Amino acid sequence: MTGGLLVLPVAGPLLVAGLLALVHHRWPHTTRLDRVVGPAAAGGVLVFAGFLLAATSGGAVPVLQLGGWQPGIAIVFAADTFSAVMLAVTSLLVLVSLPFAAALGEDEDPAFVPLVLVLLAGVSGAVLTADLFNLFVFIEVMLVPSYLLFAAGGGAERLAAARLYVSISLMASTVLLAGVGLVYGVAGTVNLGELAGAAESSPAVGFAAAVVLLALGVKSAVVPLHGWLPQTYSRTGPAVAALFSGLLTKVGVYAVIRLYSVVYGGAPRYLWVIMAVALLTMVVGVLGAVGEHAMRPVLIFHMVSQIGYVFVGLALSTATGLSATVFFLVQYVLVKTALLMCAGVVEHRYGTGDLDRLGGLARREPLLAGVFAVAALTLAGIPPLSGFVAKLGLASAAAAAGHHLAVALIVGVSLLTLLSMVKLWNGVFWEPPDEQPGADGDAEPGEASAAADGGASPVASALGSRVRPLVLAPPLFLAASAVVLGLWAEPLLSLSTVAGADLADPAAYVAAVTGR
Amino acid sequence: MTAALVVGLLVASGVFLLLRRGLLRVVLGFVLLGHAVNVLLVSAGGMQRRGVPLLGEAEADVAADPLPQAFVLTAVVITFGITVYMLALARAGDPGATTGEPAPGEDADRGGEAADLDQRTEGGPS
């Protein structure tokens, strides 16, 4: 594959989004067209990512020096196996999330699909660029549509969360830009190839790059910079939350891993900071979930906890640790999106995600319960599901590096995750709903339309149609992929081994980017 | 030195405004922070050489570094767009804008400054 094609996953979705916006301007009611064109564009990026994976897994690093300038000055795109894996996962998520949003009716807004495609273009650009400033630009390209999607539909609570989300994101972006400026000031370049190893050899570059890492830490919601995530993601639309959980924070995670691997050269000097942050994130995230009593907030605290797992492999900075991280990241993104989709379906159909007001859904919605159970067990890491393979990889890599505390916490936090998932399972699917007439009298009006119909009785006993199977197709697909990746892990394991080896020794990537 | 002082002053004022109640002050705080970062970016290219960075206009040893200027141009556009959107968010949260009635508990979320802004715009000629 020639490097010139690398611009396609960025330009393609942008072009389609622009054309769709033009069509909407002329003919306002073309939701059906959107439902075909949006997934088709995401599918196109997925196919491209497949070809890219085939090309990069052999060790090739396609590179594009845009604008005909010399390497080092040109705007540079480059892809190694890690980039290709991320591109494949993110485009797959968009491909699955668009029908889910359509099934929940969240895509009625004519701007929805074009905005999601711009978001996809930003994500593609962020994982393909090899230039710090363009990383900032693509993160902004990704964030601006996310601001609009976040607030779409309105409602006082959602707008208040949107203000918080925009403020935090803007703050992080400002710090990111300042960090890029500092890196340019001390190193004289923002090209990742030219910066290779610079932060390891020069403390000034190390400090400047640390400002960038700090900003990316806010984006990827690591403790102690995680406070905004549960406050915001549980208050937007269910489909939007599922989409964001797979795309936005993961781009932050990708950028941190890429930067530490290339700019710091995996320097062992600072690894203890990453390890401390990773372990703290795991523990604080899982403990935060204990205090929550609704589906989405619990799941979002687990999102924080799982991001900690991802960073454990980076903190080891060995080839096995990094490949375990790549494997973990891929399977976790799929499973977490499946779980958030399940929570979204429950909220959409029954009007609430509150554990006290739900119950007994296992009998009413056997398919939904099955999907949730598989995804929840995967998140906890029960064999033979993919979460087990991922955590086994991380734990054995940590044990090989002699980090016994990390091994203990990987196992212990998994146990707490399982407890938390059992709490959700019991509250939503298993136990009969609490028979306390009037107990939900303090519930916010308008939040639970189903409860309003059924008077004071708990939500789940309100009769009516069940969830349509079509709505469950996207989470079912993602949960099935968790089973497949667990039983037949070999292809992804070999890909992540290549990606981990490239990250541990980024010489090929650096050589391709600098053109030397 | 001047650039460092300007950046410090802008960051200090920006952070002060960010910590105030009211979305309007927060937005203005972000504007100041954005300016601070822009000055930082320009100074990252070196403050001594200020020639026009075009072939035939200035010698290479006096021409300014054009790359940070391009960075700033990009950053200004992005900051401007997001600032406008944040102002719209401050306005969209105003329940009076669509229904004419304040929602209960809504005033607690919003700062007094945003409310002032709303009253001013409502009272003004429109």
Side-chain angles (χ1 to χ4, degrees):
Chain A
M1 173 176 285
T2 58
L5 296 174
L6 280 180
V7 77
L8 278 181
V10 184
L14 275 182
L15 190 67
V16 175
L19 289 177
L20 270 185
L22 276 181
V23 168
H24 286 314
H25 189 66
R26 182 72 182 77
W27 299 280
H29 304 291
T30 48
T31 316
R32 208 171 286 170
L33 176 73
D34 280 11
R35 286 178 182 175
V36 175
V37 173
V45 177
L46 181 61
V47 170
F48 180 87
F51 281 114
L52 198 59
L53 268 178
T56 53
S57 59
V61 181
V63 63
L64 166 65
Q65 310 278 358
L66 202 62
W69 295 88
Q70 293 169 358
I73 300 175
I75 292 174
V76 55
F77 285 84
D80 63 357
T81 314
F82 186 37
S83 311
V85 167
M86 289 299 290
L87 190 65
V89 173
T90 48
S91 53
L92 177 68
L93 273 186
V94 173
L95 181 61
V96 174
S97 296
L98 280 174
F100 183 71
L104 290 192
E106 274 192 53
D107 66 344
E108 301 291 336
D109 191 327
F112 184 87
V113 172
L115 284 175
V116 171
L117 289 180
V118 176
L119 184 74
L120 175 63
V123 173
S124 305
V127 299
L128 289 178
T129 186
D131 178 298
L132 267 186
F133 188 75
N134 283 314
L135 178 70
F136 162 76
V137 171
F138 281 119
I139 285 179
E140 289 305 308
V141 169
M142 169 186 94
L143 285 175
V144 170
S146 85
Y147 299 153
L148 298 173
L149 289 171
F150 198 100
E157 194 188 25
R158 195 160 167 173
L159 282 173
R163 286 191 209 115
L164 179 62
Y165 174 70
V166 177
S167 306
I168 292 284
S169 297
L170 189 52
M171 186 73 219
S173 295
T174 309
V175 175
L176 179 62
L177 185 59
V180 173
L182 290 175
V183 169
Y184 189 81
V186 291
T189 178
V190 287
N191 183 302
L192 281 185
E194 304 286 338
L195 282 171
E200 191 182 10
S201 50
S202 150
V205 180
F207 178 78
V211 177
V212 177
L213 287 184
L214 179 76
L216 293 171
V218 180
K219 305 258 186 235
S220 46
V222 296
V223 174
L225 307 168
H226 69 293
W228 60 277
L229 192 75
Q231 296 281 329
T232 52
Y233 275 27
S234 49
R235 291 186 185 154
T236 183
V240 172
L243 182 69
F244 284 11
S245 80
L247 299 186
L248 300 186
T249 49
K250 303 311 163 289
V251 167
V253 170
Y254 164 85
V256 169
I257 294 175
R258 171 70 73 203
L259 236 67
Y260 200 80
S261 137
V262 175
V263 179
Y264 285 83
R269 204 185 318 166
Y270 309 111
L271 282 180
W272 65 271
V273 181
I274 298 183
M275 184 56 96
V277 165
L279 297 182
L280 200 63
T281 305
M282 281 163 63
V283 174
V284 170
V286 83
L287 291 183
V290 172
E292 297 292 340
H293 281 282
M295 285 183 89
R296 248 204 281 176
V298 170
L299 291 175
I300 284 166
F301 265 110
H302 280 293
M303 208 168 131
V304 175
S305 170
Q306 304 287 311
I307 290 165
Y309 276 97
V310 174
F311 281 129
V312 167
L314 176 64
L316 299 172
S317 222
T318 58
T320 47
L322 285 165
S323 60
T325 281
V326 174
F327 187 92
F328 191 97
L329 190 59
V330 171
Q331 63 89 23
Y332 144 69
V333 166
L334 300 177
V335 163
K336 176 54 79 181
T337 308
L339 281 171
L340 280 171
M341 281 178 172
C342 288
V345 168
V346 170
E347 281 176 31
H348 183 73
R349 173 61 193 81
Y350 296 99
T352 179
D354 193 337
L355 297 187
D356 293 336
R357 301 171 63 205
L358 290 163
L361 287 190
R363 185 164 294 170
R364 239 180 101 73
E365 312 275 5
L367 183 60
L368 174 64
V371 169
F372 179 85
V374 169
L377 291 178
T378 308
L379 193 73
I382 304 291
L385 300 162
S386 62
F388 171 72
V389 183
K391 285 183 179 173
L392 184 67
L394 273 182
S396 55
H403 283 276
H404 299 297
L405 178 65
V407 178
L409 284 178
I410 285 171
V411 177
V413 171
S414 295
L415 193 64
L416 289 173
T417 307
L418 183 61
L419 277 178
S420 203
M421 290 299 126
V422 168
K423 181 175 90 172
L424 281 188
W425 171 259
N426 274 342
V428 178
F429 295 102
W430 201 244
E431 286 172 347
D434 296 338
E435 294 294 341
Q436 291 174 339
D440 51 352
D442 57 345
E444 287 176 34
E447 184 200 336
S449 55
D453 305 337
S457 66
V459 177
S461 59
L463 291 176
S465 60
R466 292 179 183 170
V467 174
R468 284 177 297 144
L470 193 64
V471 181
L472 287 176
L476 179 66
F477 171 77
L478 292 174
S481 72
V483 179
V484 171
L485 285 180
L487 293 175
W488 192 46
E490 193 52 38
L492 182 57
L493 270 181
S494 59
L495 273 182
S496 60
T497 307
V498 176
D502 284 354
L503 284 172
D505 178 20
Y509 183 80
V510 170
V513 172
T514 53
R516 287 196 285 266
Chain B
M1 186 65 195
T2 321
L5 284 177
V6 169
V7 171
L9 189 68
L10 283 172
V11 169
S13 337
V15 170
F16 175 77
L17 281 174
L18 277 190
L19 296 176
R20 303 303 300 254
R21 281 179 65 83
L23 201 59
L24 183 61
R25 289 188 182 186
V26 172
V27 174
L28 290 177
F30 277 124
V31 170
L32 290 186
L33 275 185
H35 285 316
V37 172
N38 289 340
V39 176
L40 178 74
L41 278 173
V42 170
S43 64
M47 297 299 281
Q48 283 78 38
R49 301 183 302 168
R50 294 283 86 186
V52 182
L54 288 175
L55 286 179
E57 291 284 331
E59 295 300 318
D61 53 349
V62 293
D65 188 347
L67 203 53
Q69 303 187 356
F71 289 174
V72 169
L73 199 58
T74 314
V76 162
V77 174
I78 293 173
T79 317
F80 176 72
I82 298 176
T83 306
V84 170
Y85 181 65
M86 280 196 80
L87 286 172
L89 262 189
R91 188 81 180 115
D94 178 15
T98 49
T99 64
E101 290 173 9
E106 184 63 16
D107 288 334
D109 292 341
R110 304 162 57 237
E113 193 68 21
D116 289 351
L117 174 76
D118 297 342
Q119 278 162 10
R120 240 174 286 142
T121 44
E122 274 162 16
S126 57

Short mmCIF file of all heavy atoms in Angstrom, two decimals, chain A residues 78-133:
data_model
loop_
_atom_site.label_atom_id
_atom_site.label_comp_id
_atom_site.label_asym_id
_atom_site.label_seq_id
_atom_site.Cartn_x
_atom_site.Cartn_y
_atom_site.Cartn_z
N ALA A 78 1.57 8.80 8.95
CA ALA A 78 2.27 7.53 8.94
C ALA A 78 1.42 6.52 9.70
O ALA A 78 0.67 6.89 10.60
CB ALA A 78 3.65 7.64 9.58
N ALA A 79 1.54 5.27 9.31
CA ALA A 79 0.74 4.23 9.96
C ALA A 79 1.60 3.02 10.24
O ALA A 79 2.26 2.52 9.34
CB ALA A 79 -0.43 3.82 9.07
N ASP A 80 1.64 2.60 11.49
CA ASP A 80 2.19 1.29 11.79
C ASP A 80 1.03 0.40 12.26
O ASP A 80 -0.13 0.79 12.16
CB ASP A 80 3.33 1.36 12.80
CG ASP A 80 2.88 1.87 14.14
OD1 ASP A 80 1.69 2.21 14.27
OD2 ASP A 80 3.70 1.94 15.07
N THR A 81 1.34 -0.77 12.77
CA THR A 81 0.26 -1.71 13.09
C THR A 81 -0.67 -1.15 14.16
O THR A 81 -1.89 -1.33 14.09
CB THR A 81 0.86 -3.04 13.57
OG1 THR A 81 1.90 -3.39 12.67
CG2 THR A 81 -0.16 -4.13 13.60
N PHE A 82 -0.10 -0.43 15.15
CA PHE A 82 -0.92 0.13 16.22
C PHE A 82 -1.93 1.12 15.64
O PHE A 82 -3.14 1.07 15.98
CB PHE A 82 0.00 0.81 17.25
CG PHE A 82 -0.71 1.32 18.47
CD1 PHE A 82 -1.76 0.63 19.03
CD2 PHE A 82 -0.26 2.48 19.08
CE1 PHE A 82 -2.39 1.09 20.17
CE2 PHE A 82 -0.88 2.94 20.22
CZ PHE A 82 -1.95 2.26 20.76
N SER A 83 -1.48 2.01 14.76
CA SER A 83 -2.39 2.96 14.13
C SER A 83 -3.48 2.22 13.37
O SER A 83 -4.67 2.57 13.45
CB SER A 83 -1.66 3.86 13.14
OG SER A 83 -0.52 4.39 13.70
N ALA A 84 -3.08 1.18 12.62
CA ALA A 84 -4.04 0.46 11.79
C ALA A 84 -5.08 -0.25 12.66
O ALA A 84 -6.27 -0.24 12.35
CB ALA A 84 -3.32 -0.55 10.91
N VAL A 85 -4.62 -0.83 13.79
CA VAL A 85 -5.56 -1.50 14.69
C VAL A 85 -6.55 -0.49 15.25
O VAL A 85 -7.77 -0.72 15.27
CB VAL A 85 -4.79 -2.19 15.84
CG1 VAL A 85 -5.73 -2.61 16.94
CG2 VAL A 85 -4.05 -3.40 15.32
N MET A 86 -6.03 0.68 15.68
CA MET A 86 -6.93 1.70 16.23
C MET A 86 -7.92 2.18 15.18
O MET A 86 -9.11 2.40 15.47
CB MET A 86 -6.12 2.89 16.75
CG MET A 86 -5.34 2.61 18.00
SD MET A 86 -6.36 2.15 19.40
CE MET A 86 -7.17 3.68 19.78
N LEU A 87 -7.43 2.38 13.95
CA LEU A 87 -8.31 2.84 12.88
C LEU A 87 -9.41 1.81 12.64
O LEU A 87 -10.59 2.17 12.48
CB LEU A 87 -7.48 3.06 11.61
CG LEU A 87 -8.20 3.76 10.47
CD1 LEU A 87 -8.53 5.17 10.87
CD2 LEU A 87 -7.34 3.76 9.22
N ALA A 88 -9.04 0.52 12.64
CA ALA A 88 -10.04 -0.53 12.40
C ALA A 88 -11.08 -0.53 13.51
O ALA A 88 -12.29 -0.57 13.24
CB ALA A 88 -9.34 -1.88 12.31
N VAL A 89 -10.63 -0.44 14.78
CA VAL A 89 -11.57 -0.52 15.90
C VAL A 89 -12.50 0.68 15.90
O VAL A 89 -13.72 0.55 16.07
CB VAL A 89 -10.81 -0.62 17.22
CG1 VAL A 89 -11.77 -0.54 18.38
CG2 VAL A 89 -10.07 -1.93 17.29
N THR A 90 -11.95 1.89 15.71
CA THR A 90 -12.79 3.08 15.78
C THR A 90 -13.80 3.10 14.64
O THR A 90 -14.97 3.43 14.85
CB THR A 90 -11.94 4.35 15.78
OG1 THR A 90 -11.00 4.25 14.73
CG2 THR A 90 -11.23 4.53 17.08
N SER A 91 -13.37 2.71 13.42
CA SER A 91 -14.34 2.75 12.32
C SER A 91 -15.40 1.67 12.52
O SER A 91 -16.57 1.88 12.19
CB SER A 91 -13.63 2.60 10.98
OG SER A 91 -12.81 1.46 10.98
N LEU A 92 -15.00 0.52 13.08
CA LEU A 92 -15.98 -0.53 13.37
C LEU A 92 -17.02 -0.01 14.37
O LEU A 92 -18.23 -0.24 14.21
CB LEU A 92 -15.28 -1.77 13.93
CG LEU A 92 -16.20 -2.91 14.35
CD1 LEU A 92 -16.87 -3.52 13.14
CD2 LEU A 92 -15.45 -3.97 15.12
N LEU A 93 -16.54 0.73 15.39
CA LEU A 93 -17.47 1.25 16.39
C LEU A 93 -18.45 2.23 15.78
O LEU A 93 -19.64 2.21 16.10
CB LEU A 93 -16.70 1.95 17.50
CG LEU A 93 -16.24 1.05 18.61
CD1 LEU A 93 -15.64 1.86 19.71
CD2 LEU A 93 -17.41 0.26 19.15
N VAL A 94 -17.95 3.10 14.90
CA VAL A 94 -18.86 4.05 14.25
C VAL A 94 -19.86 3.29 13.40
O VAL A 94 -21.07 3.58 13.41
CB VAL A 94 -18.05 5.06 13.41
CG1 VAL A 94 -18.99 5.93 12.59
CG2 VAL A 94 -17.21 5.92 14.31
N LEU A 95 -19.37 2.27 12.69
CA LEU A 95 -20.24 1.46 11.84
C LEU A 95 -21.35 0.81 12.66
O LEU A 95 -22.49 0.69 12.21
CB LEU A 95 -19.39 0.38 11.15
CG LEU A 95 -20.10 -0.56 10.19
CD1 LEU A 95 -20.71 0.22 9.06
CD2 LEU A 95 -19.14 -1.59 9.66
N VAL A 96 -21.04 0.38 13.89
CA VAL A 96 -22.04 -0.29 14.72
C VAL A 96 -22.93 0.72 15.44
O VAL A 96 -24.12 0.49 15.65
CB VAL A 96 -21.33 -1.22 15.73
CG1 VAL A 96 -22.31 -1.82 16.69
CG2 VAL A 96 -20.60 -2.31 15.00
N SER A 97 -22.35 1.87 15.81
CA SER A 97 -23.10 2.85 16.60
C SER A 97 -24.14 3.59 15.78
O SER A 97 -25.17 3.99 16.31
CB SER A 97 -22.15 3.88 17.21
OG SER A 97 -21.28 3.25 18.10
N LEU A 98 -23.89 3.77 14.50
CA LEU A 98 -24.86 4.52 13.68
C LEU A 98 -26.20 3.80 13.60
O LEU A 98 -27.24 4.43 13.83
CB LEU A 98 -24.27 4.79 12.30
CG LEU A 98 -23.28 5.96 12.24
CD1 LEU A 98 -22.66 6.07 10.87
CD2 LEU A 98 -23.97 7.27 12.60
N PRO A 99 -26.24 2.48 13.29
CA PRO A 99 -27.54 1.79 13.33
C PRO A 99 -28.17 1.80 14.72
O PRO A 99 -29.40 1.86 14.85
CB PRO A 99 -27.20 0.36 12.90
CG PRO A 99 -25.92 0.47 12.19
CD PRO A 99 -25.19 1.59 12.80
N PHE A 100 -27.33 1.76 15.76
CA PHE A 100 -27.87 1.80 17.13
C PHE A 100 -28.56 3.13 17.38
O PHE A 100 -29.67 3.19 17.91
CB PHE A 100 -26.74 1.57 18.13
CG PHE A 100 -27.20 1.53 19.56
CD1 PHE A 100 -27.94 0.45 20.02
CD2 PHE A 100 -26.90 2.55 20.43
CE1 PHE A 100 -28.37 0.41 21.33
CE2 PHE A 100 -27.33 2.51 21.74
CZ PHE A 100 -28.07 1.43 22.19
N ALA A 101 -27.90 4.23 16.98
CA ALA A 101 -28.51 5.55 17.13
C ALA A 101 -29.80 5.63 16.32
O ALA A 101 -30.79 6.22 16.76
CB ALA A 101 -27.53 6.63 16.70
N ALA A 102 -29.79 5.01 15.13
CA ALA A 102 -30.99 5.03 14.30
C ALA A 102 -32.12 4.27 14.99
O ALA A 102 -33.27 4.70 14.99
CB ALA A 102 -30.69 4.41 12.94
N ALA A 103 -31.77 3.12 15.61
CA ALA A 103 -32.79 2.31 16.27
C ALA A 103 -33.38 3.03 17.47
O ALA A 103 -34.55 2.85 17.79
CB ALA A 103 -32.20 0.97 16.69
N LEU A 104 -32.57 3.85 18.14
CA LEU A 104 -33.09 4.60 19.29
C LEU A 104 -33.71 5.93 18.86
O LEU A 104 -34.21 6.68 19.69
CB LEU A 104 -31.98 4.89 20.30
CG LEU A 104 -31.41 3.71 21.09
CD1 LEU A 104 -30.55 4.21 22.22
CD2 LEU A 104 -32.52 2.84 21.64
N GLY A 105 -33.62 6.24 17.58
CA GLY A 105 -34.18 7.51 17.11
C GLY A 105 -33.35 8.72 17.44
O GLY A 105 -33.84 9.84 17.42
N GLU A 106 -32.05 8.51 17.77
CA GLU A 106 -31.22 9.66 18.11
C GLU A 106 -30.69 10.37 16.88
O GLU A 106 -30.06 11.41 16.98
CB GLU A 106 -30.05 9.23 19.00
CG GLU A 106 -30.41 9.19 20.46
CD GLU A 106 -29.19 9.05 21.36
OE1 GLU A 106 -28.27 9.86 21.20
OE2 GLU A 106 -29.19 8.14 22.19
N ASP A 107 -30.87 9.75 15.71
CA ASP A 107 -30.29 10.36 14.51
C ASP A 107 -31.33 11.18 13.74
O ASP A 107 -31.13 11.47 12.57
CB ASP A 107 -29.67 9.29 13.61
CG ASP A 107 -30.73 8.36 13.05
OD1 ASP A 107 -31.84 8.36 13.59
OD2 ASP A 107 -30.43 7.66 12.07
N GLU A 108 -32.45 11.53 14.41
CA GLU A 108 -33.48 12.30 13.71
C GLU A 108 -32.95 13.67 13.30
O GLU A 108 -33.33 14.22 12.27
CB GLU A 108 -34.70 12.48 14.63
CG GLU A 108 -35.32 11.18 15.08
CD GLU A 108 -36.00 10.45 13.93
OE1 GLU A 108 -36.38 11.11 12.96
OE2 GLU A 108 -36.12 9.21 14.01
N ASP A 109 -32.08 14.24 14.13
CA ASP A 109 -31.48 15.53 13.80
C ASP A 109 -30.72 15.39 12.49
O ASP A 109 -29.87 14.52 12.35
CB ASP A 109 -30.52 15.92 14.94
CG ASP A 109 -30.07 17.36 14.80
OD1 ASP A 109 -29.94 17.81 13.65
OD2 ASP A 109 -29.86 18.02 15.82
N PRO A 110 -31.01 16.25 11.49
CA PRO A 110 -30.33 16.08 10.21
C PRO A 110 -28.81 16.25 10.30
O PRO A 110 -28.09 15.78 9.42
CB PRO A 110 -30.95 17.18 9.34
CG PRO A 110 -31.67 18.07 10.26
CD PRO A 110 -32.05 17.27 11.46
N ALA A 111 -28.32 16.87 11.37
CA ALA A 111 -26.87 17.07 11.47
C ALA A 111 -26.17 15.88 12.09
O ALA A 111 -24.95 15.83 12.11
CB ALA A 111 -26.59 18.32 12.31
N PHE A 112 -26.94 14.89 12.59
CA PHE A 112 -26.31 13.83 13.39
C PHE A 112 -25.26 13.05 12.60
O PHE A 112 -24.09 12.97 13.00
CB PHE A 112 -27.39 12.88 13.92
CG PHE A 112 -26.87 11.81 14.83
CD1 PHE A 112 -26.74 12.06 16.19
CD2 PHE A 112 -26.48 10.58 14.35
CE1 PHE A 112 -26.24 11.09 17.04
CE2 PHE A 112 -25.97 9.61 15.19
CZ PHE A 112 -25.86 9.87 16.54
N VAL A 113 -25.67 12.49 11.48
CA VAL A 113 -24.73 11.63 10.73
C VAL A 113 -23.54 12.42 10.19
O VAL A 113 -22.40 11.98 10.33
CB VAL A 113 -25.49 10.84 9.64
CG1 VAL A 113 -24.52 10.11 8.75
CG2 VAL A 113 -26.46 9.87 10.28
N PRO A 114 -23.76 13.60 9.57
CA PRO A 114 -22.58 14.38 9.16
C PRO A 114 -21.62 14.66 10.32
O PRO A 114 -20.40 14.53 10.15
CB PRO A 114 -23.19 15.68 8.63
CG PRO A 114 -24.54 15.30 8.17
CD PRO A 114 -25.01 14.23 9.08
N LEU A 115 -22.16 14.98 11.51
CA LEU A 115 -21.27 15.27 12.64
C LEU A 115 -20.49 14.03 13.05
O LEU A 115 -19.29 14.11 13.34
CB LEU A 115 -22.09 15.79 13.83
CG LEU A 115 -22.56 17.23 13.70
CD1 LEU A 115 -23.46 17.59 14.87
CD2 LEU A 115 -21.38 18.18 13.65
N VAL A 116 -21.16 12.88 13.06
CA VAL A 116 -20.44 11.65 13.43
C VAL A 116 -19.33 11.36 12.42
O VAL A 116 -18.24 10.92 12.79
CB VAL A 116 -21.43 10.46 13.53
CG1 VAL A 116 -20.68 9.16 13.70
CG2 VAL A 116 -22.38 10.67 14.69
N LEU A 117 -19.59 11.67 11.14
CA LEU A 117 -18.56 11.42 10.14
C LEU A 117 -17.37 12.37 10.31
O LEU A 117 -16.22 11.97 10.13
CB LEU A 117 -19.15 11.54 8.74
CG LEU A 117 -20.10 10.40 8.35
CD1 LEU A 117 -20.64 10.60 6.96
CD2 LEU A 117 -19.41 9.06 8.45
N VAL A 118 -17.65 13.63 10.68
CA VAL A 118 -16.54 14.55 10.95
C VAL A 118 -15.73 14.04 12.15
O VAL A 118 -14.49 14.08 12.16
CB VAL A 118 -17.06 15.98 11.21
CG1 VAL A 118 -15.92 16.90 11.58
CG2 VAL A 118 -17.77 16.51 9.99
N LEU A 119 -16.46 13.55 13.15
CA LEU A 119 -15.80 12.95 14.32
C LEU A 119 -14.89 11.81 13.90
O LEU A 119 -13.73 11.72 14.33
CB LEU A 119 -16.89 12.45 15.27
CG LEU A 119 -16.51 11.87 16.61
CD1 LEU A 119 -16.10 12.99 17.53
CD2 LEU A 119 -17.67 11.12 17.23
N LEU A 120 -15.40 10.95 13.01
CA LEU A 120 -14.60 9.82 12.53
C LEU A 120 -13.36 10.32 11.79
O LEU A 120 -12.25 9.77 11.96
CB LEU A 120 -15.45 8.93 11.62
CG LEU A 120 -14.73 7.77 10.95
CD1 LEU A 120 -14.20 6.80 11.98
CD2 LEU A 120 -15.64 7.04 9.97
N ALA A 121 -13.54 11.39 11.00
CA ALA A 121 -12.38 11.94 10.27
C ALA A 121 -11.33 12.44 11.26
O ALA A 121 -10.13 12.21 11.07
CB ALA A 121 -12.84 13.08 9.37
N GLY A 122 -11.79 13.10 12.34
CA GLY A 122 -10.84 13.59 13.34
C GLY A 122 -10.10 12.44 14.01
O GLY A 122 -8.88 12.50 14.20
N VAL A 123 -10.84 11.38 14.36
CA VAL A 123 -10.21 10.24 15.01
C VAL A 123 -9.19 9.60 14.06
O VAL A 123 -8.06 9.28 14.45
CB VAL A 123 -11.27 9.21 15.45
CG1 VAL A 123 -10.62 7.96 15.96
CG2 VAL A 123 -12.16 9.80 16.51
N SER A 124 -9.59 9.43 12.79
CA SER A 124 -8.67 8.82 11.82
C SER A 124 -7.41 9.65 11.70
O SER A 124 -6.29 9.12 11.69
CB SER A 124 -9.34 8.72 10.44
OG SER A 124 -10.55 8.06 10.52
N GLY A 125 -7.59 10.98 11.60
CA GLY A 125 -6.43 11.84 11.48
C GLY A 125 -5.53 11.75 12.70
O GLY A 125 -4.30 11.69 12.59
N ALA A 126 -6.15 11.70 13.89
CA ALA A 126 -5.35 11.68 15.12
C ALA A 126 -4.53 10.40 15.22
O ALA A 126 -3.40 10.42 15.72
CB ALA A 126 -6.26 11.83 16.34
N VAL A 127 -5.06 9.27 14.75
CA VAL A 127 -4.27 8.03 14.86
C VAL A 127 -3.28 7.88 13.71
O VAL A 127 -2.37 7.06 13.79
CB VAL A 127 -5.15 6.76 14.97
CG1 VAL A 127 -6.02 6.81 16.19
CG2 VAL A 127 -5.97 6.55 13.73
N LEU A 128 -3.45 8.66 12.63
CA LEU A 128 -2.55 8.51 11.50
C LEU A 128 -1.46 9.57 11.45
O LEU A 128 -0.45 9.38 10.78
CB LEU A 128 -3.34 8.54 10.18
CG LEU A 128 -4.21 7.31 9.91
CD1 LEU A 128 -4.98 7.47 8.63
CD2 LEU A 128 -3.35 6.06 9.85
N THR A 129 -1.65 10.70 12.14
CA THR A 129 -0.68 11.78 12.00
C THR A 129 0.60 11.45 12.77
O THR A 129 0.58 10.73 13.77
CB THR A 129 -1.26 13.11 12.48
OG1 THR A 129 -0.33 14.12 12.19
CG2 THR A 129 -1.52 13.09 13.98
N ALA A 130 1.70 11.99 12.27
CA ALA A 130 2.97 11.80 12.97
C ALA A 130 3.57 13.15 13.28
O ALA A 130 4.76 13.40 13.07
CB ALA A 130 3.93 10.97 12.11
N ASP A 131 2.72 14.05 13.77
CA ASP A 131 3.13 15.43 13.97
C ASP A 131 2.31 15.95 15.15
O ASP A 131 1.09 15.81 15.18
CB ASP A 131 2.81 16.21 12.69
CG ASP A 131 3.15 17.68 12.79
OD1 ASP A 131 2.56 18.38 13.62
OD2 ASP A 131 4.00 18.12 12.02
N LEU A 132 2.99 16.51 16.15
CA LEU A 132 2.29 16.91 17.37
C LEU A 132 1.24 17.96 17.11
O LEU A 132 0.14 17.91 17.66
CB LEU A 132 3.29 17.45 18.38
CG LEU A 132 3.87 16.48 19.38
CD1 LEU A 132 4.72 17.23 20.38
CD2 LEU A 132 2.76 15.76 20.10
N PHE A 133 1.57 18.97 16.27
CA PHE A 133 0.59 20.03 16.08
C PHE A 133 -0.63 19.50 15.34
O PHE A 133 -1.76 19.87 15.67
CB PHE A 133 1.20 21.21 15.32
CG PHE A 133 0.27 22.38 15.26
CD1 PHE A 133 0.08 23.16 16.38
CD2 PHE A 133 -0.46 22.65 14.12
CE1 PHE A 133 -0.82 24.22 16.36
CE2 PHE A 133 -1.35 23.70 14.09
CZ PHE A 133 -1.53 24.49 15.21
#
